[in-house]
Amino acid sequence: MSFDSLGLSPEILKAVLEKGYDSPSPIQAKAIPAVLEGRDVMAAAQTGTGKTAAFTLPLLTMLSKGQPVQTNQVRALILTPTRELAAQVADNVATYSQHLPLRSTVVFGGVKINPQMMKLRRGVDVLVATPGRLLDLYNQNAVKFKQLEILVLDEADRMLDMGFLRDIKKILAALPKQRQNLLFSATFSDDIRKLAKGLTNNPVEVSVTPRNATAPTVEQSVVPVDKGQKSSLLTHLIKDGQWHQVLVFSKTKHGANKLTKQLCARGIEAAAIHGNKSQGARTRALAEFKAGKVQALIATDIAARGLDIDQLPQVVNFDLPNVPEDYVHRIGRTGRAGANGKAISLVCAEEFKLLSDIERLTKKLIDRQIVKGFEPTHTLPESRLKAQKPTRPKKPKPGHRDGQRSGENSRGHQH
Ligand code: AMP
């Protein structure tokens, strides 16, 4: 299939050609025609599937046909959970709209509001925004929605995880009722479905990965290791494997800082990216990582969410995430758009429960590989996928609560 058959405008096709894409990705092939028909769309697609272009290309085509934008007005609003994602989406919008007379800008918190107000004054066709800053701007009359035609919620699941539901509701209340809604989310939890129900009108549902499945181009493995050995092991893996670009996930900001210092002390160029860093420091670290000046970028889940780094070859989970869905998001940073990637998780015995949760969610046991010289003294129990639940639920036996059962199980497997 080629992009030509999807109904996009010639200016957009030209930009896509210049970007070097030959054919639409599956999410693009499904979502683009539906958006161009004016339908609401609910799409399940994680980062790396080409989802940004899936909504941006048809959105720009639609906007190229309408009325010019007026003072302080916005014609399409794209909401994203993080500043980094907002900046990335805005870059994409700018690239794809370069041959069209459309104006776009991005607003997010953590930087001065005045320059953003100035940019909004003439009105913009596309505004990419994080919810908090958008509300600030709206409350100060710097942005108005009378001309709003299209709303996009990107990474809606993460927006809910980050507690943006109230802000989203306030924003929705300020928008015209008559509009097109596009909702993109990596996973479709019940909360997302609830949000979608109140937001979309008879949406076309598109999905490219089965619910909570991990991308097949990602080679996953678990390296069992003692907790205290993790940073030495990571140093060894980076040096031995000659990794030039590795994204490392840390559960905490403090952990990310500590690990960054340890790696730097061992001669590895590393930088941390998390919520306590200033916007400038985050942007700089990301730019240096992309340019190959920083070898290891140590990120917390929220900071890394949606980072688009072309062809990222290697992701490491230094700690497993508390929420198993985050594992799916994390490893979605590699193996992007058909490229192969590796995701390695360094797992200590006390993370066994987290590992089991991930394996249960993805319905897959992850291969284990012991690294010579780093054999754990605290053995990681063997994991097993639990048998499918019977279709008719049995009555629970007295004294057999779920928590107890899994506790007994994990103890039973220890050597
Ligand atoms: P996304 O899922 O939007 O974060 O996109 C993931 C990556 O795939 C980005 O680097 C895009 O530039 C790239 N990409 C998007 N669409 C295509 C396509 N049709 N062919 C090749 N690469 C693409």
Side-chain angles (χ1 to χ4, degrees):
M1 188 193 232
S2 85
F3 274 102
D4 297 355
S5 57
L6 293 175
L8 295 166
S9 69
E11 294 86 352
I12 296 283
L13 289 175
K14 189 170 173 215
V16 167
L17 196 73
E18 285 165 0
K19 196 81 171 115
Y21 304 159
D22 317 321
S23 54
S25 68
I27 188 81
Q28 292 163 0
K30 289 180 190 171
I32 292 173
V35 180
L36 290 176
E37 269 178 37
R39 298 283 304 269
D40 280 3
V41 171
M42 232 174 108
Q46 60 190 62
T47 316
T49 53
K51 68 179 174 69
T52 316
F55 61 77
T56 308
L57 303 180
L59 175 145
L60 293 171
T61 299
M62 301 290 272
L63 294 180
S64 69
K65 293 172 194 153
Q67 295 295 314
V69 70
Q70 295 161 10
T71 317
N72 288 113
Q73 299 291 338
V74 171
R75 296 176 62 208
L77 173 64
I78 304 175
L79 288 178
T80 72
T82 64
R83 305 158 185 185
E84 281 79 12
L85 183 61
Q88 254 162 226
V89 172
D91 277 352
N92 276 273
V93 171
T95 307
Y96 299 134
S97 64
Q98 61 184 305
H99 304 299
L100 286 167
L102 296 174
R103 276 201 300 272
S104 62
T105 195
V106 57
V107 296
F108 45 71
V111 293
K112 282 190 192 137
I113 200 166
N114 275 7
Q116 297 180 345
M117 290 175 138
M118 303 282 279
K119 281 198 246 163
L120 291 168
R121 205 167 276 172
R122 289 169 65 205
V124 289
D125 296 280
V126 185
L127 176 62
V128 187
T130 52
R133 178 54 61 97
L134 181 73
L135 278 174
D136 284 349
L137 287 159
Y138 177 72
N139 291 334
Q140 298 189 48
N141 277 330
V143 61
K144 297 177 179 167
F145 299 118
K146 206 178 73 204
Q147 271 190 289
L148 190 104
E149 297 165 44
I150 308 176
L151 169 71
V152 183
L153 295 189
D154 190 14
E155 306 208 349
D157 48 349
R158 180 54 49 140
M159 282 202 257
L160 294 194
D161 289 350
M162 289 173 69
F164 282 135
L165 185 60
R166 280 188 61 180
D167 283 353
I168 292 174
K169 285 190 171 160
K170 282 186 201 157
I171 295 166
L172 290 177
L175 304 182
K177 296 260 166 319
Q178 183 71 33
R179 57 167 201 263
Q180 188 175 6
N181 302 289
L182 315 177
L183 188 143
F184 281 70
S185 187
T187 50
F188 267 92
S189 62
D190 294 340
D191 282 346
I192 291 288
R193 290 195 176 273
K194 210 165 119 195
L195 173 72
K197 221 169 161 197
L199 176 84
T200 54
N201 174 23
N202 186 21
V204 176
E205 286 196 27
V206 293
S207 152
V208 285
T209 36
R211 229 174 136 136
N212 294 327
T214 48
T217 48
V218 181
E219 196 184 309
Q220 303 166 59
S221 61
V222 159
V223 182
V225 62
D226 286 339
K227 198 173 179 182
Q229 285 292 304
K230 282 189 177 186
S231 82
S232 308
L233 171 60
L234 179 61
T235 310
H236 168 80
L237 290 172
I238 293 176
K239 290 191 172 169
D240 197 54
Q242 299 181 340
W243 294 349
H244 298 297
Q245 205 184 35
V246 52
L247 179 61
V248 181
F249 285 93
S250 156
K251 211 152 63 174
T252 64
K253 297 169 195 169
H254 172 70
N257 286 340
K258 192 171 146 198
L259 180 60
T260 304
K261 277 195 197 131
Q262 287 168 334
L263 292 179
C264 288
R266 293 170 189 154
I268 294 168
E269 289 292 335
I273 180 166
H274 55 66
N276 282 4
K277 296 263 173 189
S278 70
Q279 187 56 36
R282 287 157 76 169
T283 310
R284 198 164 50 244
L286 183 61
E288 290 185 349
F289 183 60
K290 284 187 175 185
K293 282 188 214 150
V294 161
Q295 216 174 331
L297 189 65
I298 323 296
T300 53
D301 285 291
I302 286 176
R305 177 73 182 164
L307 287 184
D308 175 23
I309 304 151
D310 270 346
Q311 310 266 315
L312 190 59
Q314 190 73 60
V315 164
V316 169
N317 293 311
F318 190 77
D319 319 294
L320 287 182
N322 285 334
V323 182
E325 281 83 0
D326 278 343
Y327 177 82
V328 179
H329 296 315
R330 285 178 174 192
I331 74 162
R333 296 321 88 160
T334 181
R336 318 181 54 117
N340 283 319
K342 282 191 185 154
I344 297 184
S345 303
L346 314 187
V347 184
C348 63
E350 63 194 65
E351 290 173 302
F352 176 67
K353 166 89 173 58
L354 300 176
L355 177 63
S356 305
D357 289 347
I358 291 165
E359 293 181 320
R360 195 171 322 129
L361 177 80
T362 59
K363 299 194 174 65
K364 208 168 123 183
L365 290 180
I366 307 169
D367 283 344
R368 297 188 180 192
Q369 285 162 13
I370 302 266
V371 175
K372 225 173 151 222
F374 294 91
E375 296 82 357
T377 47
H378 302 282
T379 315
L380 186 65
E382 285 302 318
S383 11
R384 267 185 218 158
L385 283 183
K386 285 207 180 113
Q388 289 281 316
K389 281 191 187 147
T391 37
R392 273 183 40 210
K394 285 182 193 158
K395 274 191 188 161
K397 285 183 191 148
H400 258 237
R401 280 177 296 139
D402 264 4
Q404 276 184 342
R405 259 208 304 273
S406 61
E408 281 160 14
N409 230 353
S410 52
R411 270 198 301 278
H413 285 144
Q414 264 168 9
H415 300 293

